[in-house]
């Protein structure tokens, strides 16, 4: 039975050896990746002096990621999911090495940063849906919230250590050291995947290999999502939380203009939300029986905390507000992911996960680009405050328009919509067989 207390539920790690391996490998890879995110932002700002360029680098990753995710979603419902994760993580080692070599050049090339960022997005997208779709098979649908909290905690642990260490390395050995750690992290992830059992896709009647069948498979996932108000509401509230509320693109600018610091302050700004998220993860046991109201509240905490962050010039207070934002983001991320998987049958999890990842990728990328351009017009602080206010208003609007989102709850079966699209499977609850 799901836990009802505050303490984090560690059951998925105790009962599933394969989940432990996936968890450890993912943490190792993410540590280097988040160090690289700091290094790329600092390097682009050093080369161009433009916050808009920092946002455009995010878009350079987002578009290939969208293509990769859509293809990866179809593959995840047709091929072995462990194999897909493995063959898409190994090339990322070479991409990180390319960034390292570029950083060592006497005159680093901006176009190489864009190229490497795009390749990172493509390979991450191809393997992302397979990882997301594999988790219910590894831990069981009754432990989705616990697994989501653990995965989010690993993300935030890496985000806490990675950016802070990245700032130290940038100020010391230099940018190339961050990219070298990133390459090593992907090797760790690949080795861990070698010991995970095969995860074949569920057998279906539509396993065709042609292009037409592939487009049809994506369309099946779109029709399923479109016909379920809960999932539509989850997608929209996630977009509300991300578009215009991505201050990460502005951290190098804010560290310089608002707080009068250098790379060390940049690292602290990146790390503060992760610290708050870890607190949220450590007290996430209650989420196993939570639902839509808790999700909406968590997104509002995120948006309001960012408004406060944009208004203050006191660094300690700013870090506290960022930590509170990170706590809200962790809870909302845990609940969004668990509710999505809870209401999706296994045969469609790869494609529905890919559509989820598309919006989860495009929204932050557009947000990074939007706040970058908005900062050019109104200043970095104004962009952060405006974004937080937009998040609050949009979240309240989505909550009002989608009663299915407000009424959703983990631990209970998810009923099918009264009139799902013709030919589409009805959503199944956590207790239904996949």
């Amino acid at each position: 039975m799901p836990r009802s207390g505050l303490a984090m539920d560690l059951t998925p790690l105790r009962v599933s050896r394969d989940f432990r391996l996936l968890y450890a490998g993912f943490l190792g890879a993410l540590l280097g990746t988040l160090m690289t995110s700091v290094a790329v932002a600092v390097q682009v700002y050093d080369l161009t002096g433009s916050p808009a360029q920092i946002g455009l680098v995010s878009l350079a990753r987002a578009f290939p990621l969208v293509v990769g995710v859509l293809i990866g979603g179809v593959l995840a419902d047709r091929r072995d999911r462990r194999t897909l994760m493995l063959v898409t993580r190994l090339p990322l080692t070479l991409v990180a090495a390319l960034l390292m070599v570029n950083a060592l050049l006497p005159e680093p090339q901006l176009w190489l940063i864009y190229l490497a960022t795009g390749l990172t997005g493509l390979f991450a997208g191809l393997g992302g849906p397979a990882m997301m779709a594999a988790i219910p098979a590894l831990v069981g649908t009754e432990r989705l919230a616990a697994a989501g909290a653990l995965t989010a905690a690993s993300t935030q642990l890496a985000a806490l250590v990675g950016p802070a260490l990245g700032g130290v390395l940038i100020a010391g050995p230099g940018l190339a050291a961050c990219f070298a750690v990133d390459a090593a992290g992907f090797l760790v992830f690949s080795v861990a995947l070698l010991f995970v059992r095969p995860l074949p896709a569920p057998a279906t009647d539509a396993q065709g290999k042609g292009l037409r069948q592939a487009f049809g498979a994506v369309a099946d996932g779109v029709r399923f999502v479109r016909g379920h108000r809960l999932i539509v509401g989850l997608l929209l509230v996630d977009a509300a939380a991300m578009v215009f509320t991505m201050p990460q693109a502005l951290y190098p600018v804010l560290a310089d203009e608002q707080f009068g610091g250098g790379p060390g302050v940049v690292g602290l700004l990146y790390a503060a939300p992760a610290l708050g998220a870890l607190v949220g993860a450590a007290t996430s046991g209650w989420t196993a029986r939570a639902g839509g109201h808790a999700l909406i509240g968590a997104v509002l905490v995120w948006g309001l905390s960012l408004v406060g962050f944009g208004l203050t010039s006191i660094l300690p207070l700013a870090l506290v507000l960022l930590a509170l934002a990170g706590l809200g983001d962790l809870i909302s991320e845990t609940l969004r992911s668990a509710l999505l998987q809870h209401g999706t049958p296994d045969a469609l999890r790869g494609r529905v996960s890919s559509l989820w990842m598309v919006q989860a990728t495009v929204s932050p990328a557009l947000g990074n680009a939007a706040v970058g351009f908005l900062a050019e017009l109104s200043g970095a602080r104004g962009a952060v405050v405006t974004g937080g206010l937009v998040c609050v208003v949009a979240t309240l609007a989505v909550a009002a328009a989608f009663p299915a989102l407000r009424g959703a709850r983990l631990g209970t079966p998810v009923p099918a919509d009264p009139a799902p699209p013709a030919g589409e499977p009805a959503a199944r609850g956590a207790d239904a067989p996949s």
Side-chain angles (χ1 to χ4, degrees):
M1 294 292 293
R3 294 158 59 96
S4 58
L6 285 177
M8 177 186 285
D9 187 356
L10 302 179
T11 304
L13 289 173
R14 289 199 300 265
V15 303
S16 175
R17 166 187 171 274
D18 290 331
F19 182 74
R20 289 196 298 271
L21 289 169
L22 188 66
Y23 183 85
F26 178 68
L27 178 59
L30 205 57
L31 179 65
T33 296
L34 291 171
M35 290 175 60
T36 289
S37 69
V38 179
V40 166
V42 170
Q43 188 175 30
V44 170
Y45 189 59
D46 286 345
L47 290 174
T48 67
S50 169
Q53 286 281 359
I54 302 174
L56 287 174
V57 169
S58 295
L59 283 179
R61 182 180 187 273
F63 289 121
L65 181 60
V66 168
V67 173
V69 159
L70 291 174
I71 297 172
V74 175
L75 294 175
D77 286 337
R78 299 183 176 201
R79 299 289 183 267
D80 184 274
R81 290 164 177 173
R82 185 202 69 160
T83 302
L84 282 172
M85 288 186 280
L86 181 60
V87 301
T88 55
R89 268 33 189 182
L90 279 173
L92 290 172
T93 301
L94 299 177
V95 175
L98 176 63
L99 285 170
M100 180 185 68
V101 171
N102 185 51
L104 293 172
L105 294 176
E107 295 183 5
Q109 299 298 305
L110 184 63
W111 70 268
L112 277 176
I113 298 174
Y114 276 91
L115 174 63
T117 302
L119 290 173
T120 298
L122 177 63
F123 286 112
L126 287 170
M131 180 174 175
M132 194 170 179
I135 290 177
L138 296 178
V139 304
T141 53
E142 72 278 7
R143 302 187 185 99
L144 284 174
L150 285 165
T151 302
S154 70
T155 300
Q156 299 303 332
L157 179 61
L160 177 63
V161 176
L165 182 57
V168 172
L169 289 179
I170 293 168
L175 294 163
C178 293
F179 301 133
V181 172
D182 193 15
F186 283 118
L187 278 177
V188 169
F189 195 10
S190 300
V191 170
L193 286 170
L194 289 174
F195 296 95
V196 174
R197 64 179 171 84
L199 295 167
T204 68
D205 295 329
Q207 295 282 353
K209 298 180 180 179
L211 185 61
R212 183 175 179 180
Q213 288 86 355
F215 280 118
V218 173
D220 288 343
V222 172
R223 283 193 294 269
F224 176 82
V225 169
R226 188 180 59 195
H228 290 74
R229 297 282 289 174
L230 169 60
I231 296 180
V232 174
L234 289 169
L235 292 170
L236 289 177
V237 81
D238 191 54
M242 295 295 105
V243 177
F244 291 104
T245 53
M246 298 304 295
Q248 293 91 332
L250 300 178
Y251 284 165
V253 184
L254 293 168
D256 180 31
E257 297 180 356
Q258 189 168 341
F259 303 109
V265 174
V266 175
L268 289 175
L269 295 179
Y270 274 101
L275 178 60
L278 284 175
V279 173
T283 57
S284 63
W286 61 274
T287 59
R289 291 287 181 179
H293 284 97
L295 168 59
I296 292 163
V299 177
L300 292 176
V301 168
W302 159 260
L304 290 171
S305 298
L306 291 180
V307 172
F309 167 69
L311 291 174
T312 185
S313 297
I314 304 171
L315 181 59
L317 177 59
L319 295 176
V320 170
L321 288 168
L322 283 178
L324 185 59
L327 187 150
D329 188 42
L330 182 285
I331 298 301
S332 66
E333 178 186 348
T334 297
L335 293 175
R336 290 193 306 261
S337 176
L339 287 168
L340 179 79
Q341 299 287 12
H342 185 66
T344 304
D346 192 38
L348 284 167
R349 280 196 178 116
R351 283 162 286 175
V352 173
S353 295
S354 73
L355 295 172
W356 173 266
M357 292 182 67
V358 165
Q359 73 82 31
T361 299
V362 171
S363 295
L366 289 176
N368 274 314
V371 297
F373 283 111
L374 187 58
E376 297 277 7
L377 300 175
S378 63
R381 298 180 68 177
V384 173
V385 173
T386 300
L389 292 174
V390 169
C391 171
V392 170
V393 173
T395 300
L396 292 174
V398 172
F402 288 86
L405 177 64
R406 300 196 306 270
R409 191 173 183 86
L410 290 169
T412 60
V414 179
D417 281 0
E424 287 304 305
R428 286 179 284 183
D431 299 326
S434 296

